Structure formats: structure tokens, C-alpha cells
Amino acid sequence: MVVMQGKGVSKGIAGGPIYFLHRPDTAIADVPAADLEEEQARIVRAQRDAAAQLTDLADRAREEAGEEAALLFETHAMFVDDEDFTQCMRTALEERGCTAERAVELAGEACSAMLAGVEDPYLQARAADIRDVTRRILNNLMGVEERGVDCDVPVILAADDLSPSETLQLDRGKILGLITQGGSSSGHTAILARSMGVPAICGLGEAMGPEYSGRVAYMDGETGQVVVEPDELTFAAFQAKRDSQREQRARLETMRGKPDETLDGRKLMVCCNIASPGDVGDVLANDGQGIGLFRSEFLYLAASDYPSEEEQFQAYREVVAAMAGKRVVIRTLDIGADKQADYLRLQKEENPALGVRGIRVCLNRPEVFRTQLRALYRASAYGRVAIMFPMITSLWEVKACKRACQEVMAELEAEGIPYDKNAEIGIMIETPACVLLAEELAKEVDFFSVGTNDLTQYTLACDRQSNNLGNFFDPHHPAVLRALKLAADAAHRAGIWIGICGELGADLDLLDTFLAIGIDELSVVPAAVLPLRARIRGSIAKTCTLDRLEC
């Protein structure tokens, strides 16, 4: 028996033979080209084919794993035609006189190395994207087709690492689980594995090598443990946990249609976070009681230019109508920091997390803000819309947002366009400044919603994009939980509701603390709705304590 420890990134138990991924040999000779014009034409054709393939992958990802996964491949398609990347290929071709294959390889190495060397974590992460796109263009040039898993039985797939496109193109019927030497819990492949419901473990290092191919192993995507050829006792433990998980899933199905209410009658609404109209099906399938966060920025990130009022209106109306009267909280454009779109031409900043992002972009660009607000208010005529402003730090920002809303409502009134005059207005609690001003801010809005990822980042001075902070980035930190309590108390004194829309909302270990704090709503990924409801319905609110707020 061999025991290995990695990092669990997608929960689930899997057992079966290990299959180490075999990639085709794409070694490229550094030889002179006979005709540089023909080599340039080959690159153009390979880029065109890559863009078409990635568009198809985006459509498949949207269907199988949701809008955020689709956006990843749409971004890769944009990288294919990136001006700097393309120029780098052309320069290599002209200066080295090499083949198309070698020019693409050199350009990929140069661009990925440049991105990996910058301090900005967002740009560092793009280095892997460039490598994935480079390999795809090379495969097209060389006529290589990646076969993936070439075996007759389902397997645990092992690899040094997996790119997002490799992960999505796997035959799901042959994959029991994924284990990799490298990777991280915040990487694209880990996120994709979770979306697809495939158990996954990363960071096993060189302990997991090709020599284990064919040997039977069990993996636990929650604990990160892989056991090759387990003994009887270990095998029984894995089997028992897998059986328990299956029974739990069956019990969760009985939660459909039941109220989100504790044993002593405390109601806590469970809603969902979405990124596009395509995600609404998951909300309804998982019995979400509304949408607590519609990330409207994905409409901007997926576009090559500013989305028009009509395009936005159609997307918002589709979601609002599908939710049939349940509240839909739509966050206004929250871009900047780790979310960038070239056409916005945001200036490069030394510390983008503290720069022009969120509501700062909207207030600096009133026409962009006005276009979105018009689309939002027009959509409010088709259901229950709530408008939420991100990255608030000052009272004047909220008042400026409300003036913009009033101006848009006056315009629509004058034009005879229907809208909901009583659409709720709320703000995200993401900064210590917002917490400290919560008493004043609560008098200006209808609700608070806490973005726990950013609140943790700014409270603890920890970059949420960094993989090197380990235990320093702690969403359970008493300072973060005390900030939640301060915001909740201020909200309730003003007679408004408060929710959580960050990842922490799905943390079952914190549910009792949320109940004690007085949180009214939790907005989570659709798959977390039923587990959260089951925990709520087994809790007694009046016995919950604030112990976690103590140091």
C-alpha cells in the first residue's frame, strides 16, 4: 500500500486503475524554412482553426459546466488572435527564418514567460492560458489529435498537470477522478472539475509518476489522499465513505420544496449566485429561492466591445422572467483587479485590488453606468429586480449611485417605458470602510450583501489571488466575522435585510455563526443549496452562539 497526500480540490470518492496521461510527441526541430510566406500562411490557418475549436469548446462548456467555464474558452479564443502574441510569432518567423511550428513555440515561450514574471497574480495566471493556446495552435500545424484516455475501462486519470481544454475534452464516461502532480485549488482545471462534478486532487508532486499506471488506487477529493493498492481496512474505509456520500445525496433530494427554516422557526433564505442567463437552469434544478448575485460583469468580459443597452436588457429580462417573481439581485459592473476587458482600456496599476475597480469604474464613466441602469430598470418591469453596487467605501458614492438611478427613472418615465419604481437598491459590504460606515449607509439603501472574499482580503491585508499566503488568508478570522456582525447589527437597526453572497455563505461549519449574527440570506452556487437547506432545517437558532468571534 502506497499513501500519497495532495490537495483535494473537488470532493468525491473514486476507485479504479490509474491511467497516466500520454501526450503525443510534439518535439520541434529548429531548422530553416523553405518559404517564409507559406509558413506565415500556415500559422494564420492554424490560428483560425484554433479559434473555431475554442468557440466549440465554449459552447460545450456552457452546456456541461456553466457560463464561467464557457468564458474561459472564449478568453482563450481571444488569446489566439492577440496582437502581441501574433506579432511575436511573426517576428520569430522573420528574424529566425524558422518553420511555423518553431515560430509559434518561441512566441508561446516568450509570452508565457513574460506573464509569469510579473507581480500581478491575475497576469501570472494568464501564462498557463498562453501555454494552452500555444499547444492548440501547434497541434493544428502538426496534425496532432489529442486522444486523451485510450483505454476500455473507467480510470483515475493522472497527469503532470491538465489544461482546461484537456479536462473538458475528456470522455466523462471513462473518468472516475483526476489527480495531478501540479496545479492549485484556484486553477482553472480545479474549478472546471468542481463544475463537472468530477473528484480531483492536485499537488501530489513527483510522488505520483507514470510507474503507477495500471495499479488500482482510491482517492478522496475532500482530504486530498490517494492510496495505491489499499489494504483491506483502508479499502473498507473508502467504501464506507463513498456509501455515506451516496446516502447523503439521496437524503438531500428530500429537501426539495421545503422551507429554509430552523427547527425553532428562524427563516434564512437560500439563493444562488449566477454569471449568465444560462445558469438559471441550475438555480431552478437545485431549488434556489431566488438569485442573490447576478454577476453582470460577465456580459462585459464575454464581449469584444461595450454591450449595448438592448443586449443587457435582453439578458436581464431573460433571467428575471425565468425566476417568475422571485427576487433577482443584479450587481452592477464589477470590473478591474482580476477581471479585465481590453476595450475598457483600464490603466495598468501597481496594486489593482486598491485601484479603479467596481463602482469606481461606473462613477468615472457615467455613460457606461447609465446604459446599464437603463437596462436594469427596463428589466424590472418583468419581475422582481434588486440593483446592487459593488466596492462601496463612502457615503457620497451611494448618494451618487442613487442620483444616477433617479435620473434614469425620470428618463424612462418621460419616454413612457415601464419599470418598477420600487426596485430595491443595495450595496455590497466588501471593505472595512463600508463596515465602519454601516450605520449611515444602511439609512440610504434597502439591503446589504456581504462579499466575503473581498472583505477577507481587505480586512486581513491578504491578496485573494495569491497562492502563497496559506493560513494567513483566513475567512474564519475573528476580525472578518466581527465585521459581519457589525454590518448585520447596523442593517437590522435600520430595518433592512443583510445577506452573504461570497463563497463563505456555503460554509456549513459557519452556519450556526451566521444564525447567531443574524444573517437573513445566503447566496451560494446552485449545488450548495440543498446541503445548506438540510443543515438549516436541523439547526436551532436560539442555541447558536458567537463563540467564533472570539480570538
Side-chain angles (χ1 to χ4, degrees):
M1 182 172 79
V2 180
V3 180
M4 303 177 203
Q5 187 62 49
K7 184 172 181 60
V9 296
S10 182
K11 293 181 181 180
I13 302 290
I18 295 173
Y19 179 98
F20 213 90
L21 182 66
H22 299 291
R23 293 189 178 94
D25 182 11
T26 55
I28 296 168
D30 192 359
V31 296
D35 184 341
L36 291 182
E37 287 189 8
E38 173 56 26
E39 296 302 300
Q40 178 60 42
R42 291 180 64 221
I43 290 176
V44 171
R45 289 195 295 270
Q47 284 179 288
R48 184 185 59 221
D49 291 345
Q53 291 159 358
L54 287 162
T55 299
D56 289 343
L57 278 174
D59 292 339
R60 178 174 169 182
R62 185 172 288 108
E63 187 175 312
E64 295 183 14
E67 190 65 27
E68 290 189 58
L71 179 63
L72 166 64
F73 293 103
E74 289 170 348
T75 302
H76 279 201
M78 288 190 283
F79 276 138
V80 168
D81 295 317
D82 178 80
E83 189 175 330
D84 292 337
F85 186 33
T86 299
Q87 182 57 48
C88 201
M89 296 182 215
R90 189 177 296 113
T91 299
L93 201 66
E94 294 170 354
E95 292 183 356
R96 300 278 297 251
C98 57
T99 62
E101 288 86 349
R102 183 61 176 151
V104 172
E105 183 180 52
L106 289 168
E109 290 173 352
C111 291
S112 61
M114 179 187 67
L115 289 170
V118 300
E119 293 184 3
D120 184 345
Y122 174 82
L123 294 176
Q124 287 176 353
R126 303 287 72 76
D129 295 331
I130 286 289
R131 288 192 290 270
D132 196 9
V133 168
T134 299
R135 193 185 70 253
R136 180 169 294 279
I137 296 172
L138 284 173
N139 286 347
N140 288 335
L141 282 169
M142 302 172 77
V144 171
E145 184 176 347
E146 293 182 345
R147 293 185 300 170
V149 179
D150 186 15
C151 60
D152 298 325
V153 296
V155 295
I156 293 175
L157 181 65
D160 54 349
D161 205 350
L162 286 167
S163 70
S165 56
E166 284 177 322
T167 304
L168 187 69
Q169 291 178 103
L170 294 170
D171 182 346
R172 293 277 297 280
K174 290 184 177 180
I175 303 301
L176 300 168
L178 303 174
I179 53 178
T180 61
Q181 295 172 331
S184 71
S185 59
S186 59
H188 289 319
T189 300
I191 293 169
L192 199 54
R194 289 193 289 271
S195 299
M196 297 165 68
V198 177
I201 296 171
C202 71
L204 286 164
E206 294 183 2
M208 169 51 66
E211 65 272 17
Y212 289 104
S213 287
R215 296 175 69 176
V216 172
Y218 271 75
M219 61 176 287
D220 186 338
E222 181 177 17
T223 66
Q225 187 179 72
V226 177
V227 180
V228 181
E229 296 174 350
D231 58 27
E232 290 186 14
L233 190 62
T234 306
F235 173 76
F238 272 110
Q239 289 284 65
K241 187 168 183 178
R242 181 160 63 179
D243 292 344
S244 175
Q245 289 177 348
R246 287 173 177 168
E247 290 171 7
Q248 183 182 24
R249 283 194 291 271
R251 285 197 301 271
L252 289 178
E253 288 299 312
T254 68
M255 292 291 110
R256 294 184 184 280
K258 293 186 176 178
D260 301 320
E261 186 175 329
T262 65
L263 291 170
D264 54 342
R266 166 76 190 283
K267 291 182 170 58
L268 181 61
M269 197 170 190
V270 181
C271 298
C272 296
N273 300 333
I274 68 167
S276 80
D279 294 337
V280 174
D282 288 336
V283 177
L284 299 175
N286 287 277
D287 202 27
Q289 297 308 294
I291 292 173
L293 173 62
F294 180 175
R295 301 181 180 94
S296 70
E297 61 269 18
F298 285 95
L299 297 174
Y300 293 78
L301 293 171
S304 57
D305 202 351
Y306 292 99
S308 68
E309 176 185 326
E310 191 62 28
E311 288 171 330
Q312 293 188 63
F313 163 65
Q314 294 294 345
Y316 304 145
R317 182 180 66 174
E318 182 180 343
V319 171
V320 172
M323 292 306 295
K326 294 181 178 178
R327 182 167 55 211
V328 178
V329 178
I330 305 176
R331 180 173 68 190
T332 58
L333 177 60
D334 186 15
I335 209 158
D338 60 323
K339 292 171 285 191
Q340 300 281 338
D342 289 343
Y343 63 87
L344 287 168
R345 293 183 172 83
L346 297 175
Q347 291 185 355
K348 181 172 175 55
E349 297 173 298
E350 285 296 318
N351 194 338
L354 301 181
V356 180
R357 58 169 301 195
I359 202 62
R360 298 169 182 177
V361 174
C362 292
L363 293 179
N364 282 348
R365 304 186 184 194
E367 279 307 305
V368 174
F369 197 26
R370 173 179 168 274
T371 297
Q372 181 170 34
L373 289 175
R374 282 182 60 92
L376 288 168
Y377 273 104
R378 286 175 59 194
S380 72
Y382 295 85
R384 190 180 175 191
V385 168
I387 300 171
M388 181 165 67
F389 305 118
M391 195 59 183
I392 295 295
T393 60
S394 302
L395 187 60
W396 73 262
E397 294 167 344
V398 177
K399 291 183 175 180
C401 290
K402 289 175 69 177
R403 281 196 300 273
C405 290
Q406 289 160 1
E407 289 168 6
V408 163
M409 287 191 286
E411 287 178 7
L412 296 176
E413 193 81 42
E415 296 168 22
I417 297 175
Y419 68 94
D420 180 7
K421 298 178 178 63
N422 298 312
E424 291 177 283
I425 290 177
I427 61 172
M428 290 195 73
I429 305 290
E430 300 173 278
T431 65
C434 204
V435 172
L436 294 172
L437 293 177
E439 293 283 353
E440 290 84 355
L441 295 170
K443 297 171 185 175
E444 297 289 332
V445 297
D446 300 306
F447 66 94
F448 288 163
S449 188
V450 185
T452 52
N453 295 343
D454 272 328
L455 182 60
T456 302
Q457 167 174 252
Y458 294 124
T459 300
L460 302 183
C462 282
D463 185 349
R464 58 181 284 196
Q465 298 298 319
S466 174
N467 292 325
N468 302 317
L469 287 166
N471 292 335
F472 294 107
F473 188 89
D474 178 16
H476 291 203
H477 194 289
V480 177
L481 300 179
R482 289 182 192 183
L484 281 175
K485 181 70 164 62
L486 288 171
D489 288 347
H492 294 148
R493 280 193 289 269
I496 66 173
W497 62 271
I498 181 170
I500 293 176
C501 61
E503 287 186 26
L504 209 61
D507 190 329
L508 298 178
D509 290 337
L510 283 180
L511 177 62
D512 285 356
T513 301
F514 295 151
L515 288 167
I517 286 172
I519 299 299
D520 302 299
E521 181 230 44
L522 297 171
S523 190
V524 297
V525 295
V529 169
L530 296 180
L532 196 50
R533 179 172 299 156
R535 183 65 66 90
I536 291 169
R537 291 179 59 80
S539 299
I540 301 174
K542 64 184 178 184
T543 65
C544 296
T545 69
L546 296 171
D547 291 350
R548 284 182 177 267
L549 276 63
E550 302 301 323
C551 291

